[in-house]
Amino acid sequence: MKKLLIGNAAVARGAYEAGVSVVSSYPGTPSTEITESMVQYSEVQVEWAPNEKVAAEVSIGASMAGARAMSCMKHVGMNVMADPLFTVSYIGVNGGLVYCVADDPGMHSSQNEQDSRHYAKASKVLMVEPSDSKECKEYTKLAFELSEEYDVPVLVRLSTRVSHSQGLVELEDRVDYKLKDYEKSVAKNVMMPAMAIKRHVVVEERQAKLVEFANKTTLNTIENNGKKIGVITAGISYMYSKEALGNDVDYLKLGMVYPLPTDLITDFAKKHDVVYIIEELDPFIEEHVRALGVCNVKGKNEFTLLGEYTPAMIKKVVLGIDPVPYHKLEEAIPNRPPVMCAGCPHRGTFYTLKKLGLTVSGDIGCYTLGATKPLDSVDSTICMGASVSAAFGMAKARGKEFAKKLVSVIGDSTFIHSGITGLIDIVYNKGINTVIILDNSITGMTGHQQNPTTGKTIYLEETVPVNLITLSEAVGVKSIRVCDPFDVKAFEAVVKEEIAKDEPSVIIAQRPCALLKGVKYTGYCKITDQCKKCKQCLKLGCPAISMADGVVKIDETQCNGCGLCINVCPFHAIVKEEA
């Protein structure tokens, strides 16, 4: 049976067919659907972990215990789980261990364009890279076998286009994988210096075997069209190249991108006048090829280090053929910048923070949009959890008075992910920072995944929720307030009181995401003839509110009746209408 699957769902299918037993991940676009797709397979235990490091360690433990295990993340999540990755490279596996990492060329939903192939090289583990959904399933399945054969964790590298494009995948039966015996082995599993130094020898010996395997595996294939131009490529770049160049060149398609095949590459290069290395982001393959002494190479000097490639770009560089002309619209097309949804609970928070003129240390999530106009209130965004730690650093640098005009803003899921330790740092080192936790009852940006504060597992089973008040008390915060950010007057008063204190404080801005199924806003809001055109409501940046020809309007097709605009209108000129 064949089924149309996106790449992420195909990865999940491959893991299922390979006999995976445990999957632990943290959601992150473009990787999220892998773990979500695993839930349908009752034979697999699936979980959302608090962060990628925990997820990686859960999968390592499952592997040690004899199960096949997997953990999935986006490229910046790989940074969070790097610590266990480098050490498990020394330890190796018992049951097959696979990590799926989805890169985001073009930064469609990310803060950088990190190339995760460097992690494979740095940690000395095997990495494969599929180019379509069919290969996503096949490569993932093979990854578990290679993991056990070579006693190595295997990285499956994806990209946004591979993760989210669809292709036909042949569904096969799940293998009858038997849980391997667990045996205590201090020499293999306890990485203290005396053991680790011996395991490093094993890693280097394994590396030599993997290079030998790379030269003969069918993961790396040559497509010989009898041409003088050669192309070395992998992943989605292979698909772009095939579309652009067809049979006008020969291809060395690399399905195994680390370790790279030395003999296969040099032999391929010798047979061609020029070799183009086509790869998005960093010159990872190119640097390896040049290090082998191959001279007839063209790569990043012809292409770009930035963003995604296109077939038109490749055709222009390799064949010198300009793209087919296309018609341009003469009319100016209005920009469609990303905005918070109508009814977003974060809007009231940022409206208040801008009104108070505070410095805002921001974080990763929907609320990063607080940096955009007209809210325009977020000063910095670095990485998950950094809003808390960075604000403390700012306060240390600029002193007490600056700290009293400074807040951190962080989502509930992100706070659990990596904000807690920053809060501990503030308390332990006698800071006076104010941290605002945006508790919208879900992990919002990646598509409504559960997290430890929601009280539900990935299966929507009831579980014990983390109590943010109790947690804050436990780390030593004495001043903790819970407030609805839509009650703008009360919320403003709370913020003013907390930033004035000479102690750490936590404000929990509590209102659920407007898109949750359980949130039932009704009706819509309407501007009456009491409107004085003060434009206060426009400062909310709600997509339902606009001004044309000097008249403020609310689009009832976009408005969900949340009522925030009613709360900010100083002239009571906005009323609620029931649909």
Side-chain angles (χ1 to χ4, degrees):
M1 175 182 171
K2 290 186 178 181
K3 190 173 182 180
L4 196 63
L5 296 176
I6 64 169
N8 284 344
V11 169
R13 181 68 194 189
Y16 166 74
E17 291 181 7
V20 72
S21 295
V22 176
V23 177
S24 180
S25 307
Y26 183 83
T29 306
S31 72
T32 306
E33 296 88 356
I34 304 173
T35 306
E36 288 179 329
S37 297
M38 292 302 316
V39 174
Q40 65 185 296
Y41 303 119
S42 59
E43 299 93 333
V44 187
Q45 298 182 71
V46 187
E47 68 169 36
W48 288 129
N51 63 33
E52 294 87 355
K53 180 176 184 291
V54 172
E57 291 159 351
V58 167
S59 62
I60 291 170
S63 170
M64 282 183 173
R68 285 186 168 177
M70 183 171 75
S71 184
C72 311
M73 67 222 70
K74 68 183 295 176
H75 59 299
V76 287
M78 178 67 75
N79 301 329
V80 181
M81 61 83 73
D83 193 1
L85 171 66
F86 278 69
T87 301
V88 77
S89 174
Y90 277 35
I91 291 171
V93 307
N94 186 15
L97 178 61
V98 172
Y99 291 124
C100 301
V101 55
D103 285 1
D104 190 18
M107 295 180 284
H108 298 282
S109 58
S110 307
Q111 64 267 46
N112 64 43
E113 283 190 299
Q114 173 182 312
D115 191 327
S116 295
R117 293 177 296 178
H118 296 293
Y119 271 111
K121 183 177 181 179
S123 62
K124 299 185 178 181
V125 301
L126 194 158
M127 177 181 269
V128 298
E129 183 173 357
S131 63
D132 60 16
S133 294
K134 178 175 179 288
E135 289 183 350
C136 281
K137 194 208 84 163
E138 293 172 350
Y139 285 18
T140 304
K141 204 169 176 179
L142 180 60
F144 284 98
E145 298 172 12
L146 293 175
S147 176
E148 291 173 358
E149 182 179 351
Y150 288 96
D151 192 20
V152 63
V154 176
L155 299 177
V156 177
R157 184 197 186 219
L158 306 163
S159 65
T160 299
R161 300 302 178 186
V162 173
S163 288
H164 290 159
S165 61
Q166 298 187 72
L168 281 175
V169 175
E170 186 166 351
L171 307 186
E172 299 174 280
D173 293 335
R174 179 175 168 89
V175 301
D176 186 19
Y177 182 81
K178 302 297 183 185
L179 193 69
K180 291 191 172 184
D181 292 337
Y182 171 72
E183 295 180 5
K184 181 174 180 176
S185 176
V186 173
K188 188 175 193 292
N189 294 336
V190 179
M191 284 301 98
M192 52 198 295
M195 289 74 168
I197 198 167
K198 295 174 184 175
R199 289 298 299 176
H200 190 188
V201 175
V202 175
V203 169
E204 298 304 335
E205 291 173 347
R206 180 185 72 201
Q207 194 76 350
K209 293 177 183 177
L210 288 174
V211 171
E212 184 180 341
F213 171 72
N215 282 310
K216 64 183 181 182
T217 178
T218 54
L219 286 166
N220 300 324
T221 58
I222 291 176
E223 298 177 25
N224 189 355
N225 296 310
K227 305 298 180 180
K228 292 298 184 180
I229 300 175
V231 167
I232 301 177
T233 187
I236 195 64
S237 296
Y238 166 75
M239 302 300 286
Y240 294 157
S241 300
K242 284 289 286 185
E243 182 177 336
L245 309 175
N247 296 328
D248 292 333
V249 300
D250 293 346
Y251 299 90
L252 171 51
K253 178 183 178 295
L254 300 171
M256 180 175 168
V257 292
Y258 193 79
L260 286 162
T262 53
D263 297 343
L264 197 62
I265 288 171
T266 52
D267 290 346
F268 180 80
K270 287 175 184 176
K271 297 173 182 176
H272 297 89
D273 294 341
V274 61
V275 174
Y276 287 89
I277 300 177
I278 302 176
E279 55 184 330
E280 292 179 332
L281 301 182
D282 294 342
F284 184 83
I285 299 171
E286 180 183 347
E287 288 176 355
H288 177 81
V289 173
R290 291 187 184 279
L292 293 174
V294 178
C295 299
N296 56 334
V297 172
K298 292 187 178 182
K300 290 298 175 181
N301 55 324
E302 303 287 334
F303 291 100
T304 176
L305 291 163
L306 309 176
E308 297 178 293
Y309 285 5
T310 65
M313 176 198 299
I314 294 169
K315 182 177 284 190
K316 171 68 174 174
V317 170
V318 178
L319 301 180
I321 299 175
D322 289 318
V324 176
Y326 56 90
H327 294 289
K328 292 183 179 180
L329 290 174
E330 298 301 326
E331 295 81 3
I333 299 175
N335 289 328
R336 294 284 303 271
V339 295
M340 295 176 189
C341 305
C344 177
H346 307 324
R347 183 169 282 110
T349 298
F350 289 114
Y351 170 83
T352 302
L353 298 181
K354 182 177 183 181
K355 182 180 178 183
L356 294 175
L358 301 180
T359 298
V360 179
S361 179
D363 224 295
I364 305 297
C366 298
Y367 44 89
T368 309
L369 293 171
T372 61
K373 295 184 182 303
L375 294 168
D376 195 23
S377 58
V378 173
D379 290 64
S380 64
T381 301
I382 306 166
C383 62
M384 298 278 278
S387 62
V388 183
S389 314
F392 188 38
M394 294 170 81
K396 278 181 169 287
R398 303 197 68 86
K400 184 176 178 179
E401 291 309 309
F402 186 83
K404 290 191 174 184
K405 295 181 183 289
L406 167 69
V407 294
S408 298
V409 171
I410 187 168
D412 48 352
S413 177
T414 311
F415 180 70
I416 296 296
H417 179 283
S418 48
I420 299 170
T421 46
L423 184 61
I424 292 171
D425 189 34
I426 290 170
V427 176
Y428 174 63
N429 286 300
K430 301 183 178 181
I432 63 168
N433 291 63
T434 297
V435 176
I436 302 177
I437 302 174
L438 305 177
D439 182 7
N440 67 340
S441 306
I442 204 69
T443 307
M445 180 66 87
T446 48
H448 285 187
Q449 290 77 32
Q450 303 299 323
N451 67 68
T453 71
T454 66
K456 292 182 180 179
T457 69
I458 194 172
Y459 296 101
L460 302 183
E461 299 169 337
E462 298 292 329
T463 186
V464 179
V466 172
N467 186 311
L468 293 172
I469 298 173
T470 307
L471 178 60
S472 299
E473 290 174 341
V475 304
V477 180
K478 294 182 174 60
S479 184
I480 304 165
R481 307 283 291 276
V482 180
C483 192
D484 182 353
F486 272 27
D487 187 347
V488 288
K489 289 183 180 179
F491 189 71
E492 180 179 340
V494 166
V495 173
K496 284 180 176 178
E497 290 169 12
E498 295 307 309
I499 61 176
K501 293 179 179 177
D502 289 327
E503 62 176 324
S505 62
V506 168
I507 301 170
I508 302 172
Q510 198 168 71
R511 177 172 277 256
C513 173
L515 300 183
L516 286 174
K517 291 180 180 178
V519 175
K520 302 296 182 184
Y521 290 127
T522 61
Y524 58 91
C525 296
K526 181 179 179 182
I527 307 283
T528 70
D529 56 10
Q530 298 296 313
C531 178
K532 307 297 183 184
K533 301 179 183 178
C534 70
K535 304 179 184 178
Q536 194 70 16
C537 58
L538 292 173
K539 294 179 180 179
L540 293 172
C542 176
I545 306 175
S546 62
M547 190 171 193
D549 300 324
V551 179
V552 180
K553 298 179 180 179
I554 296 179
D555 182 353
E556 62 186 66
T557 64
Q558 294 193 66
C559 177
N560 57 17
C562 75
L564 177 59
C565 56
I566 296 175
N567 294 343
V568 304
C569 179
F571 301 105
H572 309 290
I574 305 177
V575 296
K576 179 88 168 282
E577 294 278 349
E578 292 301 327

